[in-house]
Amino acid sequence: MNRSSAPRWALQRIDTGTLLLAAAALVVVAVSLSATAMAGLRDPATAFGFGVLVAVGELTRMTLPGNREVAPISSAGALGYTFVLTVAGVPAVHSATQVISVCALATLLGALPHLVVNRGPHLDAVARRLLVVALVAVVYRPFLEWARPLEHHVWVAIAAMAVLATLVWLADCVIAAGLRADALRARFGVTVRDELRAQAPIGVAVATSGVLLALSASVMGLIALVVFSAPLLVTHVAFRRYAEIRLTYAQTVRALSRVTEVGGYVENGHSRRVSQLAVMVGRDLGLREAELLDLEYAALMHDIGQLSLPRPIPGGATVLAAREEQVRIAELGASVIQQTGVLDRVAEMVRRQSDPAAGRAEDGPPPLGSRIIKAANAFDDLVGGSRDRDRAAAVIERLRLDSRCEYDPRVIEALERVHDRPPRRV
Amino acid sequence: MRGLPLGAQAYIGSVVVLSGVLIALGPLDDIDFIAVVSIAILFFIAEEVRTPLGKPAAAISPSLSVALASVVLTGPIGAALVHVLAALSNRHRPMVKAVFNVAQGALSAYAAGTVYLYLGGEIGVPDIRSFPWILVPFAAAAVTYALVNGVLVILVIWLTTGVRPFSLNTIRWQPLIALELASLGYGMLGLFAAVLWAIVGPFSVVLLLLPLLIAKWTLDQCLEQQRAYDATVATLCQAVETKDYYTRGHCMRVSQGSVLLAKEIGMRADRVEAIKMAGMLHDVGKLGVPTRVLQKPGALTEEEYAAIQLHPMRGYDIVREIGFLHEALAGIMHHHERMDGRGYPMGLAGKEIPEFARAIAVADAFDSMTSTRSYRNARSIDEAVAELRRSAGSHFDTAMVDAFIKAIRREGWELPDIPQVPDIGIEVTQQDHDDPSTPIRVAGEPGR
């Protein structure tokens, strides 16, 4: 329609944190490049060998669950180039600035094919990758020169590698978590824990491979780069497969949750709206990533029990149906989900979705997920796809009046908060 | 041991005794025992990291690289000892299996070490000057290890179960070669681990194994997710069918039938996986057809028939966002096309119809005919086969029909249970759009 809207929107997506990060990376790279240009390139063969590895790694980058872009082979290659002590017996004397320059150029080279087909890397991810290298190189390369005359300098160097790799991994996770907390409006403490959990296996694989590459190049020269990338390659394939299947799983549940709409049981887009709202509320209340995924699935499938009804409820709005009917739909839906044998927590959320916040008689209060779905479902049943803010505000007011016994007041407060602010990227 | 055939007992006994004797006889003085113990620990860890690759029980394990590293670092006797030591902590298998496994491993390593020495390999940490000539004895050692290992294992399987593990014409070469190459790759890693030993000792193998451990852990998670995924899709598809007593389980059976057919015509494994999903999901769009139409006893009006004709498109609409399903999508959308072009929704003809759709159409119709419907009892398999043959060429792809019939003749076909429909108050479907032997009646037309 109007062509100018797309780029403006794209600009808005880049938040301040990412911009700062990218600017920092750019400055570091520019300084390093000019320093390297003045000092001249030391040992071009080694630089070329590791550079190729970094470029290949950038070319084969992937997206892990949670929209986390990683390039393990590139990161390991860059770490290896930073850590390398000697190359086939000859001391490696390249400076920190040379490490940064080589990695930056190689990254650009590896990203080029992606850029050509308009699939450039995430700005924050690529900036973080470069800054991590810069941080390690600036500390390690001078340290290595200091340690080289020591008797057991290999072990001193290995200890330094381990400490540095761990520290820089922590820093990277914290920065990524900060950006994520800002972008998704999640709690910082929660995103840090999510990030550490998600990045731990890949971090260990990258760090050990980096050390391995550096040490093996010392004995065998550059041929080691080919050989010792093999274990990392196996890991890379495994991670990629995992990411693929997680994505397919999520896409499938999202798609199949629409059968209730196609069958005329609920309004168009109802399941998806409820799940989006539920996830936003859950995030506001500090749920972890794994819990949010369960919540999303439960919200998507909360009406699946209606498939067992002989006739659709008029308009599909369960909030208007009789209490017994609501309970029956919830039970039916939960028993369907239970049959998968793997979604027990999701089934429980669906089963208790119509319970009042205080719980029914002996069961105790329903899980937080159920309370969130109950509120999100009621909100969407009453507001629908309408964008009218007054109507939404009136609905929230009505839910609040009900919140003494029906709805959880905390959930309603969170619902109001997430509804008041403009939507941002997910 | 008891309960095994006599030949097997003798065989296992002699392998164990032979390996014991060889270790006892060999010169034990110049073995680096610290290296042997640390390698044994690594070997044990590596053995735990068996990496499943694909479906056939092919599990390659990085322990091979550790075994070959031990050959280079400690020689034939040392390598045999590594196997024995590593087995001390084995707790998975029954006793006989564990003992035999240790003995055959020790024998393989001993043979590999002997070949390595014979071809001029030197024991101890190799340095950069040994390259590239060290590759010759090392490769020979790797091949010897794999060969001796393979022969010993095949013999024990043959003697204990009486099953010949494979004969030359049923053996699948492609996965076997892939497996051997992977093993050789791991073997090479063993050599390089030995080289790295020069600077960091056993730590080198730890560095090598950590990424592999993580890969293994990730692949386990993949399997778990895959299982969860399959279960979830199956459950959701069945949920779509619960309303209709007569079609319950239809999606599962069509999925199984499509997979049989796909395998019969030699589809690649990833496409078989996709057609399994397509078969499962082929009728999700049926929910969009008003219940009133499905339950109408008499002839349908044009509009009502149009509603039925729309269901493949509805199904496509639902699942098109699932990224990996590209080819499966075409299968779902076109599973009611006919070879003569009189099908729906697009009226494609002949080879214009995607392969998946031609396959699913056959399995779909076959299951419909062999299931009980409200208006008729289930047909026998023979009747359904005859009907498929009769419609081959006009309705179905003849090649697909032939392959399907061949596959079910060989593998068998599980007929659905006769549905228990409560008598009162339940309205049931009166027509089945999948049933080619009883076409849907449309008012003013002579059947379709």
Side-chain angles (χ1 to χ4, degrees), chain A residues 365-401:
Chain A
L368 179 57
S370 305
R371 285 175 267 152
I372 295 176
I373 293 173
K374 183 180 172 70
N377 180 47
F379 179 83
D380 192 75
D381 275 347
L382 297 172
V383 177
S386 143
R387 293 243 169 269
D388 184 353
R389 298 192 69 82
D390 289 343
R391 181 168 170 193
V395 167
I396 291 180
E397 196 48 43
R398 182 187 147 179
L399 296 184
R400 198 203 311 281
L401 290 179

Side-chain angles (χ1 to χ4, degrees), chain B residues 35 75 130 189 217 268 351 355 419 447:
Chain B
S130 344
L189 273 187
W217 176 79
R268 273 198 329 266
K351 299 286 173 194
E355 192 179 12

Side-chain angles (χ1 to χ4, degrees), chain A residues 31 43 67 183 197 207 222 241 335 416:
Chain A
V31 170
D43 196 2
N67 200 14
R197 201 172 289 120
L222 291 178
R241 251 178 73 181
S335 67
E416 192 169 13

Side-chain angles (χ1 to χ4, degrees), chain A residues 44-57 73-74 76-87 92 94 102-103 106 209-210 212-218 221-222 224-225:
Chain A
T46 310
F48 179 76
F50 279 99
V52 168
L53 199 59
V54 172
V56 169
I73 295 179
S74 159
L79 273 188
Y81 189 44
T82 314
F83 287 156
V84 73
L85 314 156
T86 59
V87 177
H94 51 262
V102 168
C103 291
S209 301
L212 186 67
L213 287 170
L215 292 179
S216 57
S218 302
L222 291 178
L225 298 190

